[in-house]
Amino acid sequence: MQNILIQVRGLNKTFRLGKTSVHALKDISFDIYQGEYLSIMGPSGSGKSTLFNMIGALDRPSSGWVNVTEVDLTKLSSRELAYFRGNHIGYVFQSYNLIPAYTAVDNVAMPVVFSGKSYSEAAARARAVLERVGLGHRYNHRPDELSGGQQQRVAIARALANHPAIILADEPTANLDLNTGKEIIELLHHLSKEDGVTVITATHDHQMLSISDRIMWIKDGAIDRLEERDKIDIRVGTVDGQEIV
């Protein structure tokens, strides 16, 4: 039996825009398992990013709760949430979000230093993680000296630096060419299957869908469907006969 790592129950999020209320999430409930690779799909404005922020301890729901590694995030203070994020969740962004003046080692070491480790310990850990993602020969290169795929590998190394249980990846292949994107997908898949890291990604990349364990579709703030990969017909450009855009 798979271990449940994340529980989401009755999740609602409402934003106030002047006199208007926007219901970004509507009574969402589901579980995510340890070591699972879950892809989330949905058009702009569907609530996908809001759901990401809830799971990633970046925002609080209007009602309902999120339990991650047996911790109810809705009961944590802002300081406790920051500590939880730094020690349990790694983030990978579409635009890499690397600090231009820092070397690869320094970019990866930064969250380790923030967690309270010395720079020497953080740098040693950063070099080990960079070696693991195939950038052992690029320790001292700055982002402008790296290709897009290499920068994303640095970003993944940074996400792994504090040994998180969860990686949240927001369109991690969107700025990459097809072959480089495939390399990043294979790296994330390896982390999920070999290390038991739970990977949750927002994506429109059919290559990523093809190696997911499950795929969730978000529509108008609610789960439209949540299905296992082997029950879905995925072909180039389409999912279950619908075009991917």
Side-chain angles (χ1 to χ4, degrees):
M1 182 179 294
Q2 290 178 292
N3 294 323
I4 295 174
L5 184 68
I6 301 170
Q7 293 177 300
V8 177
R9 293 292 183 273
L11 204 64
N12 290 276
K13 181 64 176 182
T14 302
F15 295 100
R16 293 287 298 178
L17 297 176
K19 296 181 179 180
T20 304
S21 295
V22 178
H23 301 286
L25 296 178
K26 303 171 185 175
D27 197 30
I28 286 184
S29 298
F30 64 97
D31 295 327
I32 301 176
Y33 302 102
Q34 182 177 348
E36 181 175 21
Y37 197 123
L38 175 69
S39 290
I40 302 176
M41 295 188 68
S44 177
S46 64
K48 185 172 68 236
S49 296
T50 303
L51 179 58
F52 252 52
N53 290 342
M54 299 297 166
I55 297 172
L58 293 168
D59 198 1
R60 297 180 184 275
S62 300
S63 62
W65 51 268
V66 180
N67 187 311
V68 181
T69 64
E70 301 184 352
V71 175
D72 185 349
L73 301 185
T74 62
K75 294 182 178 179
L76 299 184
S77 67
S78 296
R79 186 171 183 175
E80 288 170 333
L81 279 173
Y83 178 85
F84 185 89
R85 286 193 300 268
N87 289 274
H88 295 279
I89 301 174
Y91 300 88
V92 180
F93 303 97
Q94 175 179 338
S95 57
Y96 321 135
N97 285 10
L98 302 177
I99 297 176
Y102 282 13
T103 64
V105 165
D106 287 341
N107 268 285
V108 176
M110 184 172 57
V112 185
V113 172
F114 286 165
S115 73
K117 305 297 184 183
S118 68
Y119 175 77
S120 60
E121 182 176 350
R125 188 184 296 181
R127 284 190 288 270
V129 180
L130 284 166
E131 183 76 38
R132 189 165 173 218
V133 301
L135 289 179
H137 59 304
R138 296 285 188 171
Y139 292 151
N140 296 314
H141 288 70
R142 294 189 306 272
D144 63 359
E145 299 171 316
L146 301 172
S147 68
Q150 289 170 336
Q151 290 183 63
Q152 193 61 295
R153 285 176 181 267
V154 174
I156 292 172
R158 180 183 57 193
L160 291 170
N162 277 329
H163 308 301
I166 301 161
I167 288 181
L168 290 178
D170 188 7
E171 297 284 4
T173 63
N175 290 335
L176 305 175
D177 63 67
L178 190 65
N179 289 332
T180 305
K182 184 177 180 180
E183 292 175 0
I184 295 301
I185 290 168
E186 290 174 348
L187 176 58
L188 289 170
H189 186 245
H190 175 80
L191 294 171
S192 174
K193 296 310 162 195
E194 299 300 322
D195 293 16
V197 176
T198 297
V199 178
I200 306 167
T201 182
T203 186
H204 290 97
D205 190 332
H206 71 274
Q207 292 186 105
M208 189 169 292
L209 300 182
S210 69
I211 54 89
S212 301
D213 295 307
R214 289 189 297 167
I215 301 168
M216 177 189 293
W217 280 264
I218 300 289
K219 183 179 180 181
D220 297 328
I223 297 176
D224 186 48
R225 52 186 173 137
L226 175 59
E227 297 181 315
E228 296 180 8
R229 160 63 187 93
D230 58 9
K231 296 180 180 179
I232 301 170
D233 180 22
I234 297 178
R235 286 175 259 174
V236 175
T238 67
V239 178
D240 279 356
Q242 297 183 3
E243 185 179 0
I244 301 174
V245 295

